[in-house]
């Protein structure tokens, strides 16, 4: 599975942005698609995830209510809608795919088997 993330950019606080992650290859093996982000000097952190088939979603508390993940299976693409952006959202955003998840969900980096290259989101004041 290959993943290509896009849609990042420079925005002002309060603005919105939509990131895309296009999957190709053995997409039938995808169980969950996730988004992570890594700010300068910080570890990569979980943002949210979506079930590839059922569409159920779960999010990190830091983005819950502001970010929304959706998918278009016909296009093999997952989206991350970022609303109400704040300075702390500045990071490189990575999409990832998992073939299976632990019973409690795919929250950890180690749960994912495939990674995209990342797209930069910069929020200015």
């Amino acid at each position: 599975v290959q993943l290509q993330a896009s849609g990042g950019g420079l925005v002002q606080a309060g603005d919105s942005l939509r990131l895309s992650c296009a999957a190709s290859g053995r997409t039938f093996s995808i169980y969950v698609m996730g988004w992570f982000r890594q700010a300068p000097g910080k570890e990569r952190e979980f943002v949210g995830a979506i079930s590839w088939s059922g569409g159920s979603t779960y999010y990190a508390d830091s983005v819950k209510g502001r970010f929304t993940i959706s998918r278009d299976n016909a296009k093999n693409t997952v989206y991350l809608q970022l609303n109400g952006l704040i300075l702390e959202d500045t990071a490189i955003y990575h999409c990832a795919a998992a073939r299976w998840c632990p019973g409690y969900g795919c929250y950890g980096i180690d749960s994912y088997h495939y990674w995209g290259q990342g797209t930069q989101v910069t929020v200015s004041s």
Side-chain angles (χ1 to χ4, degrees):
V1 175
Q2 294 79 45
L3 304 174
Q4 180 73 38
S6 62
L10 173 62
V11 296
Q12 292 188 324
D15 285 351
S16 298
L17 204 59
R18 190 178 80 159
L19 308 183
S20 301
C21 178
S24 60
R26 299 169 65 89
T27 58
F28 61 85
S29 68
I30 297 174
Y31 179 66
V32 161
M33 291 286 290
W35 285 95
F36 287 75
R37 66 185 182 184
Q38 187 164 18
K42 295 188 177 181
E43 294 185 352
R44 190 171 297 190
E45 65 173 359
F46 173 78
V47 173
I50 186 167
S51 165
W52 189 246
S53 58
S56 59
T57 55
Y58 44 97
Y59 302 91
D61 288 343
S62 59
V63 306
K64 202 173 294 183
R66 298 189 300 122
F67 292 5
T68 304
I69 298 176
S70 61
R71 82 211 191 287
D72 184 334
N73 290 101
K75 296 182 178 180
N76 287 331
T77 299
V78 170
Y79 303 98
L80 178 63
Q81 179 69 39
L82 299 81
N83 295 330
L85 284 162
I86 60 177
L87 299 181
E88 291 75 16
D89 294 322
T90 295
I92 298 174
Y93 285 71
H94 298 267
C95 58
R99 298 197 302 267
W100 63 83
C101 289
Y104 52 82
C106 276
Y107 290 91
I109 294 172
D110 292 344
S111 297
Y112 290 84
H113 306 95
Y114 309 101
W115 289 84
Q117 85 290 359
T119 184
Q120 176 72 49
V121 173
T122 303
V123 183
S124 65
S125 58

